[in-house]
């Protein structure tokens, strides 16, 4: 365990902080052993606290025709469970997760992030074996690489590269900047269709640590069409941020001192509360579900807690983040899908109708093993263990009947954005995922290359391409492309002849797609918005930090520049 300075101990609360660091210090296994870590946190009772409802953030000012937000990243403490001491976290506006930042289609947003209030030592241990943590990793960049630094990315948005919050656009609390940072105010045009997404840290080599510390929040882009759809609104439109975390007995975050290629917590947090419950009325609710977990895929279902009933309300999915699905998708025992599957940084908007269940209680259960899909066996030919984090939160339905002016989503004709024609693709690209278990620490790559290798993919601005994502590893990988929305055309096993149709809830614009082991996923990608250099990467944050990221450059051959 690294030495801890007296100043840092005082910041963390003296002796109490020292106890937390001591108990959180040593990973249960070395990198040469199994990928999972041996850690059992405090035993906490479930469903003893209400779900926190996240507030929407008011703009700090108006700039021209748009809103301006000045976001502060600070260190603070927050109680995540009544029986757990307060946890030291980092986050936006002194809360985890950060507040909802509301946007509106066509209304520009300007965001300036201030991390001056952070200390100069990281809350978690930085492993300098990971490329991007030292000056030597950045050719032509002679400035130091501070241990604490942030670059904030608004996920899934079409923005100019300078406002994209990419991995090398970081800034430290004392003003040291990364080699590609060129502006402090990020301009977000909000010209793409409405969506529910996140804003989160994207700093080279420590994105996993900054996000795990709490530097993440929800971002929504609304448009005028929603008002005519008669979906649940106001207090019945609820954002749920799902993130797994581990803790020591004194409330400190637990995360291994050394890099591990996969990490999952043993507690489910929703909106910053461990295993909360939500009291709901017997009517429809709209839930915007976000998964900013480091590496955990959630497989969500509802379970009726009545002894003699297996009846549950259907979850009706209407969006996968961008726009709306071509057709709404029922999730549940009699629906189109039995489980709502969300890999890291995928999202889903669902409507749940509790009208027929007054007085009943439903538990949101998780049926996705960790690491997904095979659990810690990492072998599809062996039986997987039971889910190691099998419950998430509860809904408790009141008995009093209420009026519900919202409409059944099955009866709504949702507007869907125009999609590119796969026949217009001018290029087909193959992106293959690899893992190298012979190196320490183990790392993952894309086409045998990493983030510091030269650009090899240069789409033409305004063009459409076909991308085939091939996963030749033993784990699933959520692949995210910055700048663009893509459409999933199909899936097939590696070596199979024909692609099968995408899942019903993949039939819309997306920016992140889960690629299963031994699988090929075909995408249609339209590069319509901006020229510039953008990354694509695995959104398992441990993989992203250690080599599973590549740059692409959208070029404008018609430009005079």
């Amino acid at each position: 365990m690294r030495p801890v300075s007296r100043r840092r101990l005082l910041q963390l609360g003296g002796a109490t902080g020292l106890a937390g660091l001591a108990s959180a210090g040593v990973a249960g296994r070395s990198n040469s052993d199994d990928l999972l870590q041996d850690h059992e946190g405090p035993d906490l009772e479930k469903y003893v606290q209400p779900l926190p409802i996240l507030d929407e953030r008011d703009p700090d000012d108006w700039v021209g025709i748009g809103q301006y937000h000045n976001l502060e990243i600070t260190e603070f403490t927050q109680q995540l469970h009544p029986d757990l001491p307060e946890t030291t976290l980092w986050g936006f506006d002194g809360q985890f997760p950060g507040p909802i930042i509301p946007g509106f289609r066509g209304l520009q947003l300007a965001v300036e992030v201030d991390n001056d209030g952070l200390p100069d030592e990281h809350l978690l241990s930085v492993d300098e074996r990971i490329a991007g943590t030292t000056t030597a990793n950045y050719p032509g960049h002679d400035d130091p690489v501070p241990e604490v630094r942030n670059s904030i990315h608004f996920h899934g948005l079409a923005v100019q590269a300078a406002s994209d919050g990419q991995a090398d656009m970081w800034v430290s609390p004392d003003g040291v900047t990364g080699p590609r940072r060129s502006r402090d105010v990020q301009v977000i045009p909000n010209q793409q269709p409405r969506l529910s997404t996140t804003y989160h840290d994207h700093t080279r080599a420590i994105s996993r640590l900054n996000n795990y510390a709490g530097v993440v929040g929800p971002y929504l882009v609304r448009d005028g069409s929603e008002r005519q759809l008669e979906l649940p609104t106001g207090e019945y439109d609820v954002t749920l941020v799902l993130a797994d975390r581990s803790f020591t007995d004194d409330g400190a975050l637990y995360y291994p001192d050394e890099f591990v290629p996969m990490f999952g917590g043993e507690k489910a947090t929703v909106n910053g509360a461990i295993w909360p419950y939500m009291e709901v009325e017997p009517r429809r609710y709209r839930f915007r579900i976000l998964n900013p977990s480091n590496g955990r895929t959630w497989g969500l279902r509802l379970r009726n807690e009545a002894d003699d009933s297996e009846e549950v309300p259907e979850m009706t999915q209407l969006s996968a983040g961008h726009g709306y699905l071509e057709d709404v998708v029922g999730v549940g025992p009699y629906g189109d899908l039995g489980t709502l599957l969300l890999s890291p940084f995928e999202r889903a908007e669902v409507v749940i109708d509790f009208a027929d269940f007054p007085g009943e209680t439903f538990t949101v259960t998780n049926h996705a093993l960790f690491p997904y899909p095979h659990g810690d066996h990492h072998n599809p030919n062996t039986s997987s263990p039971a889910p190691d984090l099998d419950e998430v939160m509860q809904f408790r339905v009141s008995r009093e009947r209420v009026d519900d002016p919202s409409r059944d989503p099955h009866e709504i004709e949702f507007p869907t954005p125009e999609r590119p024609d796969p026949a217009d693709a001018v290029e087909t690209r193959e992106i293959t995922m690899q893992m190298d278990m012979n190196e320490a620490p183990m790392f993952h790559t894309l086409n045998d290359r990493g983030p510091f290798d030269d650009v090899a993919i240069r789409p033409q601005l305004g063009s459409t391409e076909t991308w085939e994502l091939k996963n030749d590893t033993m784990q699933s990988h959520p692949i995210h492309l910055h700048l663009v929305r893509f459409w999933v055309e199909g899936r097939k096993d590696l070596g199979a002849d024909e692609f099968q149709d995408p899942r019903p809830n993949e039939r819309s614009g997306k920016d992140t797609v889960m690629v299963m082991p031994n699988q090929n996923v075909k995408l249609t990608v339209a590069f319509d918005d901006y020229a510039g250099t953008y990354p694509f990467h695995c959104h398992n944050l441990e993989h992203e930090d250690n080599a599973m990221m590549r740059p692409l450059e959208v070029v404008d051959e018609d430009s005079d520049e």
Side-chain angles (χ1 to χ4, degrees):
M1 191 174 129
R2 69 174 184 175
V4 181
S5 69
R6 172 178 170 79
R7 177 193 59 76
R8 187 70 178 135
L9 287 178
L10 292 173
Q11 288 175 334
L12 292 174
T16 302
L18 179 59
L21 285 171
S23 60
V26 181
R29 299 172 181 167
S30 70
N31 289 323
S32 62
D33 292 326
D34 293 345
L35 300 183
L36 303 182
Q37 304 302 300
D38 288 328
H39 173 75
E40 293 186 8
D43 187 14
L44 299 175
E45 187 177 354
K46 298 176 181 177
Y47 316 127
V48 296
Q49 61 179 327
L51 173 78
I53 301 300
L54 301 179
D55 291 329
E56 293 196 2
R57 193 181 196 278
D58 293 327
D60 295 293
D61 204 346
W62 285 79
V63 178
I65 61 169
Q67 297 178 339
Y68 168 81
H69 288 264
N70 190 324
L71 281 172
E72 291 188 353
I73 306 176
T74 59
E75 181 173 281
F76 56 92
T77 62
Q78 182 172 320
Q79 190 162 32
L80 307 183
H81 189 278
D83 297 326
L84 188 71
E86 290 197 349
T87 300
T88 300
L89 299 163
W90 290 0
F92 299 101
D93 288 358
Q95 67 180 70
F96 164 68
I100 298 170
I101 298 181
F104 196 83
R105 187 177 185 184
L107 182 64
Q108 181 176 285
L109 201 74
V111 179
E112 188 168 8
V113 177
D114 179 2
N115 64 355
D116 292 354
L118 289 178
D120 56 13
E121 291 184 40
H122 208 287
L123 182 64
L124 304 169
S125 183
V126 176
D127 191 332
E128 292 191 352
R129 295 175 300 167
I130 306 305
T133 54
T134 65
T135 303
N137 301 138
Y138 300 94
H141 180 73
D142 297 327
D143 291 333
V145 179
E147 185 171 285
V148 175
R149 56 197 190 279
N150 301 100
S151 180
I152 305 306
H153 171 58
F154 281 71
H155 182 107
L157 299 185
V159 299
Q160 291 185 338
S163 292
D164 194 36
Q166 297 177 23
D168 296 344
M169 297 177 180
W170 43 260
V171 62
S172 72
D174 58 359
V176 178
T177 59
R180 293 190 59 228
R181 186 179 180 90
S182 61
R183 63 185 312 162
D184 292 328
V185 178
Q186 294 168 251
V187 178
I188 300 170
N190 286 331
Q191 296 297 328
Q192 74 282 325
R194 48 81 52 212
L195 82 162
S196 298
T197 187
T198 64
Y199 58 101
H200 66 91
D201 189 273
H202 205 298
T203 305
R204 174 81 68 206
I206 58 169
S207 179
R208 71 195 187 283
L209 305 180
N210 290 344
N211 280 274
Y212 193 79
V215 187
V216 63
Y219 182 67
L220 309 180
V221 177
R222 300 185 172 100
D223 68 16
S225 69
E226 291 188 90
R227 299 170 184 169
Q228 283 77 49
L229 299 178
E230 300 179 70
L231 291 166
T233 60
E235 63 182 300
Y236 306 106
D237 181 354
V238 181
T239 297
L240 302 176
V241 180
L242 278 55
D244 58 333
R245 294 292 186 269
S246 291
F247 304 91
T248 59
D249 288 340
D250 68 348
L253 284 174
Y254 171 83
Y255 192 91
D257 270 357
E258 292 187 346
F259 175 84
V260 289
M262 292 291 289
F263 182 78
E266 85 281 347
K267 304 287 191 296
T269 74
V270 187
N271 292 358
I274 299 172
W275 286 312
Y277 66 86
M278 180 182 179
E279 294 183 349
V280 297
E281 299 172 5
R283 55 153 292 159
R284 295 185 192 94
Y285 282 74
R286 176 182 185 174
F287 295 103
R288 303 170 191 257
I289 307 174
L290 317 177
N291 177 17
S293 302
N294 277 37
R296 181 176 295 280
T297 292
W298 300 95
L300 306 177
R301 302 179 197 167
L302 294 175
R303 181 180 71 213
N304 194 325
E305 293 303 323
D307 291 336
D308 57 350
S309 176
E310 296 183 357
E311 293 295 318
V312 296
E314 182 181 74
M315 288 192 287
T316 305
Q317 186 175 354
L318 53 98
S319 174
H322 291 270
Y324 298 102
L325 296 171
E326 293 179 0
D327 296 292
V328 297
V329 174
V331 181
Y334 307 107
D336 305 284
L337 298 171
T339 301
L340 178 60
L341 203 62
L342 292 177
S343 64
F345 289 82
E346 285 191 301
R347 293 90 64 201
E349 295 180 33
V350 303
V351 170
I352 303 179
D353 189 351
F354 299 103
D356 294 334
F357 301 92
E360 301 195 45
T361 296
F362 300 94
T363 298
V364 180
T365 57
N366 172 41
H367 298 263
L369 301 180
F370 181 85
Y372 192 76
H374 305 305
D376 60 4
H377 287 294
H378 294 276
N379 186 341
N381 299 316
T382 61
S383 60
S384 294
D388 58 358
L389 186 49
D390 57 359
E391 295 185 5
V392 181
M393 65 173 292
Q394 275 190 348
F395 294 115
R396 299 175 181 175
V397 189
S398 65
R399 293 185 178 277
E400 183 179 356
R401 293 289 183 180
V402 296
D403 292 330
D404 184 358
S406 69
R407 295 176 61 194
D408 182 341
H410 291 275
E411 299 175 355
I412 298 174
E413 185 174 347
F414 288 93
T416 54
E418 184 179 353
R419 57 171 297 167
D421 187 343
D424 293 337
V426 298
E427 184 88 29
T428 297
R429 303 187 189 273
E430 292 186 358
I431 310 297
T432 303
M433 301 153 218
Q434 298 95 5
M435 59 191 299
D436 191 331
M437 301 182 68
N438 297 316
E439 296 287 335
M442 188 184 84
F443 64 92
H444 295 75
T445 57
L446 297 167
N447 287 354
D448 287 318
R449 298 183 181 184
F452 294 99
D453 292 315
D454 291 340
V455 177
I457 295 177
R458 291 184 169 85
Q460 168 66 26
L461 181 64
S463 69
T464 297
E465 296 190 349
T466 297
W467 283 38
E468 292 192 18
L469 309 178
K470 299 183 177 182
N471 185 356
D472 198 21
T473 78
M474 295 179 287
Q475 300 170 9
S476 61
H477 296 286
I479 299 299
H480 171 50
L481 277 66
H482 284 224
L483 175 66
V484 299
R485 298 186 309 280
F486 55 73
W487 277 256
V488 180
E489 301 295 344
R491 296 172 176 269
K492 69 176 182 178
D493 291 338
L494 294 181
D497 293 330
E498 300 293 333
F499 282 94
Q500 305 300 313
D501 290 338
R503 301 185 184 113
N505 61 348
E506 292 181 318
R507 293 170 179 169
S508 70
K510 289 179 62 68
D511 55 64
T512 305
V513 62
M514 179 164 56
V515 187
M516 300 286 283
N518 194 42
Q519 191 174 78
N520 181 343
V521 177
K522 181 187 285 190
L523 310 177
T524 298
V525 189
F527 296 92
D528 289 336
D529 294 298
Y530 300 103
T533 300
Y534 296 84
F536 64 97
H537 57 87
C538 177
H539 226 307
N540 177 314
L541 298 180
E542 280 73 19
H543 296 178
E544 169 189 324
D545 272 351
N546 196 20
M548 205 167 189
M549 180 187 294
R550 293 285 296 130
L552 64 86
E553 183 184 5
V554 182
V555 297
D556 185 2
E557 295 179 353
D558 297 327
S559 174
D560 294 332
E561 298 181 4

